[in-house]
Amino acid sequence: MSVSPPLPLLKRISPGLWVGLVWFAAALGPLVKYVLMPPRREYSLSYPRQGLDPLSAKLLLAIAFALVLTGCVLLRRRTSLGYGLLLAGTVASTLAWRQDEIPPAQYLGVDVALCYVAATRPRRSSLNAAAAALATLPCYVLLRQGLGIQDSGVIPEPYIALTVVIGWLVGNSLRQSQLHTEELHAQAAAQAVTAERLRIAREMHDTVAHSIGIIALQAGAAARVIETQPDKAREAMRAVEKTGRETLSGLRRMLGALRQADRDADREPDPAADEAADEARKPAPLHPSAGLADVERLATTTTAAGVRVEVWWQGRRRPLPADIDLAAFRIVQESVTNVVRHSGADSCQVTIGYGEDELTIEVRDRGKGTCADAEHDTGYGLIGMRERITLLHGHFTAGPGRGGGFLVAARLPLPAATATATTRAIETKAGAAAG
């Protein structure tokens, strides 16, 4: 199980802590400077030294601190309540100092909280939070007049309102960016599912088309010799039964996998349950070891069905990457299937060449089938082969051969890592033998 990397330190800090740091820094700074420190020549009209002398002012300031602290703790779990307590604490702190206006520095904590609300909550909720922050400014003006607090003539409300708007815009931009990222991830996941289903469809087509071709040949042979050679007819029908059962079993596994994927897409995600049941749900592939190693078995099966397949190997055989190995086998399989179904030939030749930097495949027959016949009849045979080669940056041709018949040729580039690994293995074995 992979372990996700830890978040950066700044992202590990909770939003309530960020809000608390900003708000308490703005609240404690004037308290230390103008009240706790020894008197200086400088003074502040907004924070007079005697402003906190009454017991009611001290009690109100303590209530403000408690409200803000509680709001910071609840900001993540109960955002609306925490945000409301933060606004109430800001107003209470301003009343404790008997200030004529809410200090802009004190409102920065509200702006940070609003930015978090806009980044994590739906737009309607964030707009309501911004409206509450803006409405608090004129409401305090009315409250100030009712309490008889004198006006200093400074009007900071427009500037504070501007910081509120900026805080909401920053948070909303973060949310839009997050939603866009999630949408891109969803699209990538949908594209991956589509690509996987197309791959499964190609695998099913290749396997089923080959099996149906073998069944048709065996059934035709059984029909021809059922009266003269009943034993061989019975053997051919057993081969038909075996091939049909294997094909149906593979189809059931694939359809079960697709239906399970649809059910998983409809239910709520549960990562723990998904991880626990991953191995149990994983269907067995149609051919677990499909690759060039199965070409000989493919040739034997097709020869037994009535079309002789000669396999020629050129170059030094070596392990290939799984995708190239599977694609090469499917090309041979589909080409042999087309020979069986369309060419009318009684034999074909498969040549597989291992080069230093590419793998070559040729399937040649002497029949009368054409490229158009094969493509129109199978629908996706040649198209599927071409897609496989294109995805692996190879070259594919299919058409009438020079001496007649039909020729399918493909060249697949081999990664440099494959050749390098092989060379190193040979050198290692040679060194071991020399030692």
Side-chain angles (χ1 to χ4, degrees):
M1 182 177 64
S2 61
V3 179
S4 58
L7 292 174
L9 178 60
L10 294 180
K11 291 186 177 181
R12 279 184 279 172
I13 299 177
S14 65
L17 183 56
W18 283 117
V19 174
L21 289 175
V22 174
W23 195 94
F24 282 102
L28 294 176
L31 185 64
V32 173
K33 184 176 182 180
Y34 297 111
V35 177
L36 301 180
M37 296 293 290
R40 299 182 180 181
R41 293 183 180 181
E42 62 183 43
Y43 64 94
S44 173
L45 294 177
S46 298
Y47 299 95
R49 179 173 294 273
Q50 297 79 16
L52 295 179
D53 288 347
L55 180 60
S56 60
K58 296 177 182 178
L59 182 60
L60 192 58
L61 186 61
I63 293 175
F65 277 38
L67 289 174
V68 173
L69 183 60
T70 306
C72 292
V73 173
L74 297 177
L75 188 61
R76 172 172 287 179
R77 291 177 299 172
R78 302 181 63 180
T79 304
S80 299
L81 178 59
Y83 183 77
L85 292 176
L86 181 64
L87 284 175
T90 303
V91 174
S93 172
T94 307
L95 289 175
W97 286 99
R98 295 187 63 82
Q99 294 169 312
D100 57 343
E101 303 289 349
I102 298 178
Q106 198 72 58
Y107 224 64
L108 288 179
V110 177
D111 296 337
V112 174
L114 177 61
C115 181
Y116 170 74
V117 173
T120 57
R121 305 286 291 176
R123 177 170 294 184
R124 177 177 295 181
S125 300
S126 64
L127 286 176
N128 292 335
L134 294 175
T136 302
L137 302 175
C139 289
Y140 182 78
V141 174
L142 298 177
L143 182 62
R144 176 197 67 192
Q145 294 176 356
L147 295 176
I149 300 176
Q150 296 181 357
D151 187 1
S152 63
V154 181
I155 306 177
E157 280 84 0
Y159 307 102
I160 299 177
L162 181 60
T163 62
V164 171
V165 173
I166 292 175
W168 183 87
L169 289 176
V170 172
N172 185 67
S173 298
L174 292 176
R175 177 169 176 79
Q176 295 301 319
S177 177
Q178 181 181 5
L179 292 177
H180 180 64
T181 302
E182 292 176 356
E183 183 179 357
L184 291 179
H185 289 169
Q187 291 179 357
Q191 291 175 358
V193 170
T194 302
E196 180 66 14
R197 293 198 172 192
L198 288 176
R199 185 192 66 81
I200 292 174
R202 287 195 295 266
E203 296 293 331
M204 291 176 64
H205 167 267
D206 293 342
T207 303
V208 173
H210 176 74
S211 300
I212 294 300
I214 298 300
I215 289 174
L217 279 177
Q218 296 282 12
R224 287 192 296 270
V225 300
I226 191 171
E227 295 182 356
T228 58
Q229 297 177 324
D231 293 338
K232 289 192 174 183
R234 190 178 299 107
E235 181 180 350
M237 294 310 296
R238 288 198 187 100
V240 168
E241 180 185 9
K242 179 181 178 182
T243 304
R245 290 183 182 277
E246 291 178 352
T247 304
L248 285 176
S249 178
L251 286 175
R252 289 193 186 100
R253 286 195 296 268
M254 280 297 173
L255 291 177
L258 294 176
R259 288 172 180 171
Q260 181 64 49
D262 290 335
R263 288 194 294 269
D264 291 343
D266 293 337
R267 68 175 177 85
E268 291 295 329
D270 187 355
D274 291 343
E275 185 176 359
D278 182 59
E279 293 299 326
R281 291 177 179 175
K282 188 180 297 182
L286 292 179
H287 291 285
S289 60
L292 290 179
D294 296 326
V295 170
E296 299 288 354
R297 177 181 58 81
L298 174 69
T300 301
T301 304
T302 309
T303 300
V307 177
R308 184 167 54 89
V309 178
E310 299 178 359
V311 182
W312 295 84
W313 301 91
Q314 298 178 351
R316 177 172 46 83
R317 296 177 63 177
R318 57 185 184 272
L320 299 174
D323 53 349
I324 295 178
D325 197 25
L326 176 61
F329 174 75
R330 292 307 187 196
I331 291 167
V332 174
Q333 183 185 50
E334 180 65 27
S335 300
V336 172
T337 299
N338 287 341
V339 171
V340 171
R341 299 183 63 183
H342 307 291
S343 70
D346 57 358
S347 66
C348 68
Q349 180 178 328
V350 178
T351 305
I352 302 173
Y354 286 80
E356 291 297 328
D357 55 357
E358 69 176 7
L359 178 73
T360 60
I361 301 172
E362 288 188 0
V363 180
R364 185 189 305 270
D365 66 75
R366 299 294 180 181
K368 300 179 181 180
T370 64
C371 180
D373 294 336
E375 187 167 3
H376 290 164
D377 189 82
T378 63
Y380 297 99
L382 296 179
I383 295 177
M385 287 190 283
R386 193 180 302 277
E387 285 180 356
R388 289 181 183 274
I389 299 301
T390 302
L391 289 175
L392 296 174
H393 307 286
H395 181 71
F396 176 80
T397 58
R402 291 184 178 180
F406 196 76
L407 173 65
V408 174
R411 296 201 308 269
L412 290 169
L414 298 178
T418 303
T420 303
T422 304
T423 303
R424 289 179 179 175
I426 294 174
E427 292 176 354
T428 303
K429 291 181 179 179

